[in-house]
Every structure is written in structure tokens, then in C-alpha cells.
Amino acid sequence: MNARAAEANRERWGAYPLVMGGALAALTLSVLLGLPYWGGIAMGAVMMLGALVRLASGGRLAVRRKATDVVTLGGLGLALAAAGFILEFKDLVPM
């Protein structure tokens, strides 16, 4: 494999290895350490970071547009992190 093909293959992955590694870390936090809300917060933060990486680097994903990935990853990450914060600090939420 030449250098150009290796570079194209590396660009194609984009933010997804980051999100998968973060999902593994959040799952470890949730299951092994017994902190499910902090695991949700960590996964939401990693998804939002993945959205920023996808926005910055792009990649060559031909199935979806970059804007679709950024909005989906960012929105779901924000919702997951917000839900984790609300559940973790439910006594501080005015309801």
C-alpha cells in the first residue's frame, strides 16, 4: 500500500475511532465502576468531541453528508450529557 492510499484510508475513518474508544471508556465507567450517570456524561462528551472532529477534518464518507453527522453526533451527545447531569444532580434541578 502506498503512502497516498494509506492517507486516504486514515481520513476515511474520521471521528469514529474516537467515539468508539470513548464508548468503551464510558461503558467501563458505567459497568465496572458502577457510575452509570457519569458514564452517560462521558459518552455524551465524547460524542460532542467526535462531532467537532468530524466538522474540522471532514473525511470521505460517501453515505452521508458531513452536516448530517455533525448535527446527529452533536445533538445526541448533548442530549446524553444533559440527561446524565440531570439524573446525577437531580436534587439541584428546580422542578
Side-chain angles (χ1 to χ4, degrees):
M1 181 181 285
N2 61 19
R4 184 175 172 183
E7 180 67 27
N9 193 23
R10 192 175 8 194
E11 282 183 21
R12 195 172 302 138
W13 283 95
Y16 299 108
L18 171 74
V19 173
M20 290 303 296
L24 182 63
L27 186 66
T28 301
L29 195 63
S30 295
V31 175
L32 295 180
L33 298 179
L35 301 169
Y37 303 136
W38 286 106
I41 294 167
M43 186 62 213
V46 166
M47 287 176 71
M48 288 186 289
L49 185 62
L52 288 174
V53 169
R54 174 77 170 132
L55 181 65
S57 67
R60 296 184 182 172
L61 187 63
V63 178
R64 296 180 303 266
R65 293 185 335 208
K66 185 189 330 181
T68 303
D69 281 350
V70 170
V71 169
T72 303
L73 274 175
L76 290 175
L78 183 64
L80 188 59
F85 273 118
I86 288 171
L87 290 172
E88 181 66 32
F89 301 111
K90 58 184 164 269
D91 53 338
L92 299 175
V93 176
M95 285 189 180

